[in-house]
Amino acid sequence: MPKKVIAVLRGDYIGPEIMEAGLTVLEAASANSNFQYETIDYPFGGEAIDKCGDPLPQQTVAGCEEADAVLLSAIGGPKWDNASKRPEKGLLEIRNKLGLFSNIRPTKIDPNLSRFSPVKQEVLNNTDFVIVRELTSGIYFGTPREQHPQDALDTSTYTVQEIKRILKIGFDMSMRRKKHVTVVDKANVLATSKLWRQVTEEIKQDYPEVTVDYSYVDAAAMKIITQPTSFDVLITANLFGDILSDEASVLTGSLGTIPSMSAGTTGPNLYEPIHGSAPDIAGKGIADPISMIQSIEMMLRESFNEDYLADKIAKAVQKTIEDEITTPDIGGTATTQEVTANIVKNLKG
Amino acid sequence: MPKKVIAVLRGDYIGPEIMEAGLTVLEAASANSNFQYETIDYPFGGEAIDKCGDPLPQQTVAGCEEADAVLLSAIGGPKWDNASKRPEKGLLEIRNKLGLFSNIRPTKIDPNLSRFSPVKQEVLNNTDFVIVRELTSGIYFGTPREQHPQDALDTSTYTVQEIKRILKIGFDMSMRRKKHVTVVDKANVLATSKLWRQVTEEIKQDYPEVTVDYSYVDAAAMKIITQPTSFDVLITANLFGDILSDEASVLTGSLGTIPSMSAGTTGPNLYEPIHGSAPDIAGKGIADPISMIQSIEMMLRESFNEDYLADKIAKAVQKTIEDEITTPDIGGTATTQEVTANIVKNLKG
Ligand SMILES: CC(C)[C@H](C(=O)O)[C@@H](O)C(=O)O
Ligand SMILES: CC(C)[C@H](C(=O)O)[C@@H](O)C(=O)O
């Protein structure tokens, strides 16, 4: 089997710290296995602005396109607040260039961590849902987008084809879960939302076993807090997905542990923690590496069908959390390196 | 003093039930006071579709325009799901016709009710913030809005003048509160948001005592749950305000008690509960009337400078809540009428 190629974008502030941790765990987990890989670093985000004057240099696009998967750590931060092209622009562009039209974010309550949730235990119960966010269209990419001295405008667009392919991702996922899809929109106001509903009515014919309902985005923002157990798979447009997936993430009480996946049709998937680059704790050695490590677990499962290795990592992480060898964000006193070393130890155990 | 005229839009499902309760309390509170008023009913929402084939008949617009304040109860519901023009359309139109460009929603934790919140007590503490939502522009009203067989588009627009006037409402409000304004936007993506930031930088010069910060809408959606006490006045665009104010409302644990105000420049303000028409409990006599009663309290304060009457109502409501004479949504077993009667009794006490 040829070696798999993993493009590594180490990111800014805590980015490189947690990427290092993740790669250490990947190396330990795959040692003596059949899974052969090599990693290639590319500049991206703030780092790339400093080195190449562009958050997404051409070489990075090319490298990612050729890779079998992309690992990204958090990017951006105050250092580049006044850059003419900011790190976040790179994030939007890489999604577009790699055709990563779907973003998958699990919200699953870990009983060992739920005490850190701002939400009451009896509300959380065994919450387990996934938000499927459309990632390369909508108001993020619609034109015209114009700013004039006296006014500004943004345009949100969706084509039937764009809606169809993201719905399919969500419906397929629900078939491997609780067979319940909630399409979140603002169909009482927006034309694009009305089109989403129309296409959903069509697509759902192909999934007779799936229960489908609709929720307005404002109602969904409430229900995510009040009845999180009522959801299985939420499918929604780019902007709504941005807001709701961040909202949902805090339910877990452990932002520093949550991975995500962005996927397209043919190219490599991209895996990244859902949190930011945390400039306030950068360099202190206390960033939680688990989000990056679980992003790598997700990569092994989804891009490489290495469920065995992924399960091994999942178990090792779980044991570390149970033993409370954790960073301060989830109540512990361990450093990034100590958490990582403990997970590596558990891999062998 | 000439009589004040209050336009009354009784709404659908539980709408008329709680409006009746509210008007009963208004009558009792203002008896033997100098506050003279008359109410005039107009058809609106589902009721108006049934009676006139239009959720916002011309007579209702005219009547509201002439009134000194408008009281609205909840509208809409399954009965009109397939109406060619749905009740919600009437809501959007009345905002537009009356020039109600600002929507004010307080999120204040009542210690007597916070046990019903899905969020932990130690996170809520004494949360007390207001969301100031722009209500007559943005993606709700931008053109073009088009739906075609293969695609659809919505347009979000803001002018400097529209941004300025809503910012002023929020900044002025913060001066009577904790002098802290948070402008919520998506300036890392949207041109309209960038314009909001630019105008904010200008306006804030006029309010040297106010601390101003910015939050991306996704981050704000998290912080509303994790650190609700960090906010004072949030000012934001129409769509973001819709989502965040509904999200924030659940923190209180008592959706059935929260009022709101929509205001413009010259015409009457409109007061309404923040919740919907609750078809599931309509006709059962158990709808919580407190949201409507507190909407009336807000009207007395903001439209009529009747702080004395407003305070009287506030105290009576507070005592009823303390005595746990409440409807099932906030843990009690009382009916709408019993709660109302108790509040009326407390007004005299
Ligand atoms: C940085 C920003 C442009 C980005 C987005 O809004 O998509 C981020 O919030 C995310 O969700 O990945
Ligand atoms: C009914 C709907 C159009 C409306 C809105 O989105 O403005 C409602 O959600 C609200 O917040 O008053």
Side-chain angles (χ1 to χ4, degrees):
Chain A
M1 237 180 11
K3 274 191 184 173
K4 296 296 180 186
V5 176
I6 303 171
V8 171
L9 317 179
R10 288 179 191 259
D12 305 314
Y13 292 98
I14 65 164
E17 304 173 32
I18 61 174
M19 181 63 84
E20 194 55 43
L23 295 178
T24 301
V25 171
L26 176 60
E27 194 182 331
S30 57
N32 308 320
S33 82
N34 287 327
F35 181 64
Q36 307 277 322
Y37 70 95
E38 64 176 316
T39 62
I40 309 180
D41 278 31
Y42 296 99
F44 183 60
E47 183 203 0
I49 294 177
D50 290 349
K51 286 188 185 153
C52 326
D54 188 334
L56 181 62
Q58 182 43 40
Q59 65 188 103
T60 302
V61 178
C64 289
E65 277 170 349
E66 278 164 26
D68 297 297
V70 181
L71 286 177
L72 165 61
S73 208
I75 59 157
K79 188 176 170 197
W80 304 279
D81 264 356
N82 299 311
S84 65
K85 209 171 147 192
R86 297 187 19 182
E88 293 93 329
K89 263 268 168 337
L91 198 53
L92 298 177
E93 279 182 13
I94 201 172
R95 292 172 182 168
N96 206 18
K97 292 260 157 95
L98 300 180
L100 303 170
F101 68 84
S102 71
N103 179 248
I104 312 292
R105 288 229 207 151
T107 293
K108 189 170 173 169
I109 304 299
D110 180 334
N112 288 302
L113 296 177
S114 65
R115 67 181 183 284
F116 301 110
S117 175
V119 173
K120 290 174 182 165
Q121 185 58 52
E122 67 263 33
V123 176
L124 295 175
N125 271 312
N126 26 32
T127 291
D128 179 2
F129 64 83
V130 174
I131 296 182
V132 177
R133 168 186 175 194
E134 198 292 324
L135 204 59
T136 52
S137 186
I139 202 163
Y140 275 68
F141 292 95
T143 52
R145 171 193 316 291
E146 288 169 11
Q147 190 182 344
H148 309 289
Q150 289 308 315
D151 54 38
L153 75 92
D154 296 286
T155 307
S156 176
T157 57
Y158 270 107
T159 67
V160 167
Q161 182 253 340
E162 287 169 339
I163 299 168
K164 240 181 215 165
R165 67 182 182 182
I166 188 74
L167 286 174
K168 273 192 188 145
I169 300 275
F171 272 89
D172 284 342
M173 185 169 290
S174 83
M175 287 299 290
R176 300 191 300 274
R177 297 177 45 98
K178 288 169 268 172
K179 300 191 173 62
H180 174 199
V181 160
T182 305
V183 174
V184 178
D185 60 29
K186 189 79 196 175
N188 46 0
V189 178
L190 305 179
T192 44
S193 290
K194 289 195 182 104
L195 190 62
W196 272 72
R197 289 211 178 184
Q198 211 170 288
V199 179
T200 305
E201 287 300 303
E202 211 178 289
I203 294 284
K204 79 177 195 193
Q205 309 300 329
D206 300 337
Y207 299 85
E209 292 171 60
V210 176
T211 308
V212 180
D213 48 41
Y214 298 95
S215 175
Y216 295 134
V217 60
D218 45 336
M222 299 169 81
K223 215 168 165 186
I224 281 175
I225 314 178
T226 56
Q227 297 177 58
T229 56
S230 67
F231 294 117
D232 177 23
V233 176
L234 291 94
I235 314 179
T236 193
N238 207 341
L239 181 63
F240 298 152
D242 178 48
I243 300 170
L244 296 185
S245 65
D246 263 9
E247 180 191 346
S249 70
V250 305
L251 295 187
T252 62
S254 51
L255 216 59
T257 71
I258 312 179
S260 74
M261 168 174 90
S262 300
T265 322
T266 50
N269 294 353
L270 180 150
Y271 301 86
E272 60 174 323
I274 66 158
H275 56 73
S277 62
D280 52 319
I281 59 162
K284 296 190 178 158
I286 56 166
D288 195 335
I290 296 182
S291 57
M292 195 70 231
I293 292 166
Q294 298 202 130
S295 295
I296 285 171
E297 177 206 325
M298 214 170 171
M299 170 188 79
L300 287 167
R301 224 181 275 286
E302 304 290 335
S303 284
F304 301 127
N305 280 313
E306 293 284 351
D307 282 14
Y308 173 76
L309 295 184
D311 288 346
K312 224 169 81 172
I313 293 177
K315 268 187 217 125
V317 167
Q318 206 48 46
K319 176 139 177 37
T320 298
I321 290 173
E322 274 162 26
D323 293 345
E324 298 187 24
I325 316 287
T326 52
T327 43
D329 56 304
I330 46 176
T333 56
T335 63
T336 308
Q337 286 189 353
E338 284 162 359
V339 173
T340 308
N342 192 265
I343 292 170
V344 168
K345 194 191 87 196
N346 290 339
L347 281 172
K348 293 169 187 153
Chain B
M1 239 182 9
K3 273 191 186 173
K4 297 296 180 187
V5 176
I6 302 172
V8 170
L9 317 179
R10 288 180 192 258
D12 305 315
Y13 292 99
I14 65 163
E17 304 172 33
I18 60 173
M19 181 63 86
E20 195 55 43
L23 295 178
T24 302
V25 171
L26 176 60
E27 194 181 333
S30 58
N32 309 319
S33 81
N34 287 327
F35 181 65
Q36 307 277 320
Y37 70 95
E38 66 176 315
T39 61
I40 308 179
D41 278 31
Y42 295 99
F44 183 61
E47 183 202 2
I49 294 177
D50 290 349
K51 287 187 183 153
C52 326
D54 188 332
L56 181 63
Q58 181 44 40
Q59 65 188 104
T60 301
V61 178
C64 289
E65 276 170 347
E66 279 164 25
D68 298 296
V70 180
L71 286 176
L72 165 60
S73 209
I75 60 158
K79 188 175 169 197
W80 305 279
D81 264 356
N82 299 312
S84 64
K85 207 172 148 189
R86 295 184 23 180
E88 293 93 331
K89 261 268 167 341
L91 197 54
L92 297 177
E93 278 183 13
I94 201 172
R95 291 172 183 168
N96 205 19
K97 292 260 157 96
L98 300 180
L100 303 170
F101 67 85
S102 71
N103 181 247
I104 313 292
R105 287 230 205 150
T107 294
K108 190 171 172 167
I109 303 299
D110 180 334
N112 288 301
L113 296 176
S114 64
R115 67 182 183 284
F116 301 110
S117 174
V119 173
K120 290 174 181 165
Q121 185 58 53
E122 65 265 32
V123 176
L124 295 174
N125 270 312
N126 28 32
T127 291
D128 179 3
F129 64 84
V130 174
I131 296 182
V132 177
R133 167 187 175 193
E134 199 292 323
L135 203 59
T136 52
S137 187
I139 203 162
Y140 276 68
F141 292 96
T143 51
R145 171 192 316 292
E146 288 170 12
Q147 191 182 344
H148 309 288
Q150 288 309 316
D151 53 40
L153 74 94
D154 296 286
T155 307
S156 177
T157 57
Y158 269 109
T159 67
V160 167
Q161 182 252 340
E162 286 169 340
I163 300 168
K164 240 181 214 167
R165 66 183 183 181
I166 189 72
L167 286 173
K168 274 193 187 143
I169 301 275
F171 272 89
D172 285 341
M173 186 170 289
S174 84
M175 287 298 291
R176 300 191 301 274
R177 297 176 46 97
K178 287 169 269 173
K179 300 191 172 62
H180 175 200
V181 159
T182 305
V183 174
V184 178
D185 60 30
K186 190 77 194 175
N188 46 359
V189 178
L190 305 179
T192 44
S193 291
K194 289 193 183 105
L195 190 62
W196 272 71
R197 289 212 176 182
Q198 210 170 290
V199 179
T200 306
E201 287 300 303
E202 209 179 290
I203 293 285
K204 79 176 193 192
Q205 308 300 329
D206 300 337
Y207 299 86
E209 291 170 62
V210 177
T211 307
V212 180
D213 47 41
Y214 298 95
S215 175
Y216 295 134
V217 60
D218 45 337
M222 299 168 83
K223 214 168 166 187
I224 281 175
I225 315 178
T226 56
Q227 297 178 57
T229 56
S230 67
F231 294 117
D232 177 24
V233 176
L234 292 94
I235 314 178
T236 191
N238 206 342
L239 181 63
F240 297 151
D242 178 47
I243 300 170
L244 295 185
S245 65
D246 263 9
E247 180 192 346
S249 70
V250 305
L251 295 188
T252 62
S254 51
L255 216 60
T257 71
I258 312 180
S260 74
M261 167 174 90
S262 301
T265 323
T266 51
N269 294 351
L270 180 150
Y271 301 87
E272 60 174 323
I274 66 158
H275 56 73
S277 62
D280 52 319
I281 58 161
K284 296 191 178 157
I286 55 165
D288 194 335
I290 295 182
S291 57
M292 196 69 232
I293 293 166
Q294 297 202 131
S295 295
I296 285 172
E297 178 207 325
M298 214 171 171
M299 170 188 79
L300 288 168
R301 223 181 277 284
E302 305 290 334
S303 284
F304 301 128
N305 280 312
E306 294 283 352
D307 282 13
Y308 173 76
L309 295 183
D311 288 345
K312 224 168 83 173
I313 293 177
K315 266 185 217 126
V317 167
Q318 205 48 46
K319 175 140 179 34
T320 297
I321 290 173
E322 273 161 28
D323 293 345
E324 297 186 25
I325 316 287
T326 51
T327 44
D329 56 306
I330 45 174
T333 56
T335 63
T336 309
Q337 286 191 354
E338 283 162 359
V339 172
T340 308
N342 192 264
I343 291 171
V344 167
K345 194 192 85 195
N346 290 339
L347 281 172
K348 295 170 186 152

